[in-house]
Amino acid sequence: MAKRPYTVIRGGKLLDIAKRAATPADILIKGDTIAEVGRPGLAAPAGAVVIDAKNRLMHAGLINAHTHGPGNLGKGMGDLWSLELLLTASPWLNGGRTLEDKYLSSLIGAAEMVMKGCTAAYDLAAEFPLPSVEGLSAMAKAYEEVGMRAVLAPMVADITFFDAIPGLMDRLSPALQKEVESFRYAPWKATTKQMRKALQKWRFDKVVLAVAPTIPHHCSDDFLIACRDLAREYEVGIHSHVAESKVQVVAGYGRYGTSLAAHMDALGLVSERFTVAHGVWLDDEDMKRLGDRGASVAHNPGSNMRLGNGLADMRGMLNRQINVGIGTDGANCSDNQNMYEAMRLASFSSKVQGPDWPRWITTEEALRAATEGGARALGLHKEIGRIAPGYKADIVFLDLHHVNWIPTNDPVNALVHTEDGTAVHSVMVGGRMVVESHKLLTVDLAALAAKVEASRARREKVTMPAKKLYGRLEKVVGTFCPGLAKAPLHIHRFGASHHAH
Ligand SMILES: [Zn+2]
């Protein structure tokens, strides 16, 4: 790279979102940054590396605005899971993990994302009972090895799920109450200290840190304020699951007497640095509040359906000037990391919400959310999300001879509604090819599969007691929480009206 700092991509077609066109264009790259985008035959310095992009459509790398690296080892482990049941299953899904497992889990997700055209992600990574510099570094190493960008936010809490949902603990038998003691997190001061240590010592280049109080009412106010101050001090993002499920919103009103978003705003967490994950049950006022503060929502339509949380109102968010990014969520509730599918679902899930078609999300809006919107949520909007001079050379090359692109009518519609990742031919991140001819260049997938299988077999045994405990808890959580979700509320986001009150 140092000897031949220039790369020129010739012969490809560049996606022009506004014009809905695939236009012949050459791209000159200096180091990791786009220097010039021009007509075919663009002048390039002598010795520039030439990349032939004939029969390729080039689009900006997709940006996953919400995922969980640790979720990848839990891919496909469950089916009928509400969010509350998934949280209950956490010790089973995430237990028994070594430092190597943490690394492997992130590696699987990063590999899948780049192979499916995604070049950056906002990753909320949990370690129990508190984050560690070693754990976060192992996860960051996975992203660096794959060669993609990430904002890595240790996901933290100081109140257990059972304490956070009003009335739930009382429903557990004394024996189960004792069992769920093992769910307890470290005290918030210890957790904050670890986050600070990580922020101080961070040495990674393409992976930066952020702060993620996981769910507002799973954190004490003192802890939320500490998270806010840490994010301000180190000028990093804050990301939180706000109003993901109706149960959360009902719990929030019970605890604060206000909406969750209003409570976080009152504590000063809502700003341009703030990203709400999901936001399915945000109401008009919440949306206005977030929009006025310049905040973002990471919209995860696949996960929202998969966990039965309902259909988020992306049109409402855009109308109130919220920056919207699109995410896959973790592989234990999505169950893949395919941003093409996430875009498609963002479009489709808007179109089932009613007959008022001008409110539906257009393919252009879905694509912009999955690129420029995600970039802004990650705080990287000056660097990624577009193919233009000054931006990092994060470029996806789709094979226009793949059956997905025969014929190529409107390339924006095709990218969002037709493409499923199978036409991804090559992927460049920061001027470096990470995927070429459909092959991941940076990680040996066969070797990864062997390591992960050994890990899976070991953890299956180690987590057997946690799986059994889940079975006992499912009976209580699985009846109590749907009951709470039937409480009257002024908004309705479920897909069918018979749950409305
Ligand atoms: Zn999440």
Side-chain angles (χ1 to χ4, degrees), residues 335-358:
D335 285 47
N336 65 31
Q337 300 291 293
N338 188 339
M339 279 297 295
Y340 295 103
E341 184 185 277
M343 281 196 290
R344 191 172 195 252
L345 292 176
S347 164
F348 284 14
S349 67
S350 79
K351 285 156 177 139
V352 297
Q353 293 185 26
D356 189 8
W357 63 268

Side-chain angles (χ1 to χ4, degrees), residues 66-68 124 155 239 241 244 277-278 300 303 329-330 333:
H66 186 78
T67 185
H68 301 276
L124 276 66
M155 199 164 72
H239 199 132
H241 299 84
E244 178 176 358
H278 303 276
N300 305 285
S303 164
D329 209 354
C333 59

Side-chain angles (χ1 to χ4, degrees), residues 33-328:
T33 304
I34 296 167
E36 204 176 338
V37 178
R39 290 171 184 276
L42 180 71
V49 176
V50 180
I51 292 175
D52 179 11
K54 194 161 170 274
N55 304 319
R56 308 272 176 265
L57 175 69
M58 301 177 286
H59 72 77
L62 302 175
I63 297 168
N64 191 345
H66 186 78
T67 185
H68 301 276
N72 295 295
L73 282 176
K75 190 192 296 175
M77 280 178 80
D79 180 8
L80 299 186
W81 270 337
S82 66
L83 172 65
E84 287 70 31
L85 290 173
L86 181 66
L87 295 173
T88 305
S90 184
W92 163 32
L93 303 183
N94 303 312
R97 295 210 181 176
T98 62
L99 194 61
E100 166 92 352
D101 291 328
K102 293 173 190 178
Y103 157 78
L104 290 173
S105 198
S106 302
L107 197 63
I108 300 165
E112 182 177 357
M113 284 189 270
V114 287
M115 291 181 81
K116 295 176 183 173
C118 171
T119 51
Y122 210 142
D123 180 343
L124 276 66
E127 288 181 87
F128 185 80
L130 77 172
S132 67
V133 179
E134 299 70 35
L136 290 166
S137 299
M139 299 174 205
K141 186 169 151 255
Y143 278 103
E144 288 223 326
E145 279 182 18
V146 168
M148 76 175 272
R149 300 176 201 283
V151 176
L152 189 61
M155 199 164 72
V156 294
D158 65 340
I159 297 172
T160 73
F161 164 69
F162 297 94
D163 290 313
I165 305 295
L168 178 56
M169 192 63 104
D170 297 338
R171 295 296 178 101
L172 300 181
S173 66
L176 277 178
Q177 284 183 1
K178 204 155 174 260
E179 293 265 22
V180 300
E181 282 294 317
S182 65
F183 284 56
R184 221 163 275 295
Y185 298 98
W188 68 267
K189 282 185 183 167
T191 300
T192 306
K193 208 170 148 190
Q194 283 298 96
M195 290 194 285
R196 179 179 293 280
K197 205 164 132 192
L199 284 159
Q200 281 170 344
K201 292 190 164 187
W202 203 243
R203 296 276 179 272
F204 293 88
D205 172 31
K206 280 210 201 68
V207 183
V208 297
L209 290 177
V211 175
T214 180
I215 297 171
H217 52 291
H218 290 216
C219 300
S220 61
D221 283 358
D222 284 340
F223 193 17
L224 288 174
I225 289 164
C227 288
R228 176 199 71 190
D229 292 346
L230 209 53
R232 275 186 195 160
E233 188 180 338
Y234 287 90
E235 298 183 346
V236 298
I238 312 185
H239 199 132
S240 186
H241 299 84
V242 182
E244 178 176 358
S245 73
K246 187 175 171 188
V247 170
Q248 290 183 343
V249 172
V250 172
Y253 277 107
R255 174 107 157 257
Y256 307 124
T258 64
S259 74
L260 296 162
H263 185 69
M264 292 193 101
D265 192 33
L267 295 181
L269 278 89
V270 181
S271 71
E272 284 175 5
R273 292 185 193 289
F274 185 57
T275 298
V276 161
H278 303 276
V280 180
W281 293 84
L282 296 172
D283 68 12
D284 279 2
E285 264 182 61
D286 291 333
M287 289 186 197
K288 190 170 178 304
R289 184 175 285 114
L290 294 174
D292 288 350
R293 298 258 188 266
S296 299
V297 168
H299 175 37
N300 305 285
S303 164
N304 295 340
M305 289 191 271
R306 164 84 161 83
L307 296 176
N309 287 321
L311 303 164
D313 182 10
M314 181 170 163
R315 171 63 58 214
M317 295 172 189
L318 293 177
N319 283 350
R320 289 161 189 83
Q321 278 71 55
I322 293 175
N323 172 57
V324 179
I326 292 176
T328 58

